[in-house]
Amino acid sequence: MKTYRYSGPMSAATMPDGREVVLYPGQTVELPEDNAWVQTLAALGHLTEQAAPARPARAAKDKEAA
């Protein structure tokens, strides 16, 4: 999965895993890069790859238990 920013008109599809995806302009979303719909949106310039969002740090309590 890659993180993309969507800049096209509202669009929707069902992913192969059954997940429903509705895209709105300006939205950031994780999508499978090998999906034909995703590749088409990218080719049209509607999807721009973004850096993956930072994962939240584990709480100090979790670090002490490790």
Side-chain angles (χ1 to χ4, degrees), residues 9-52:
M10 190 177 93
S11 186
T14 302
M15 296 289 102
D17 63 3
R19 180 174 60 126
E20 298 287 331
V21 177
V22 180
L23 300 176
Y24 298 94
Q27 178 183 13
T28 300
V29 64
E30 286 188 18
L31 297 169
E33 61 189 285
D34 60 349
N35 180 274
W37 179 63
V38 173
Q39 292 173 351
T40 298
L41 292 175
L44 291 170
H46 296 315
L47 289 175
T48 304
E49 190 174 341
Q50 303 289 295

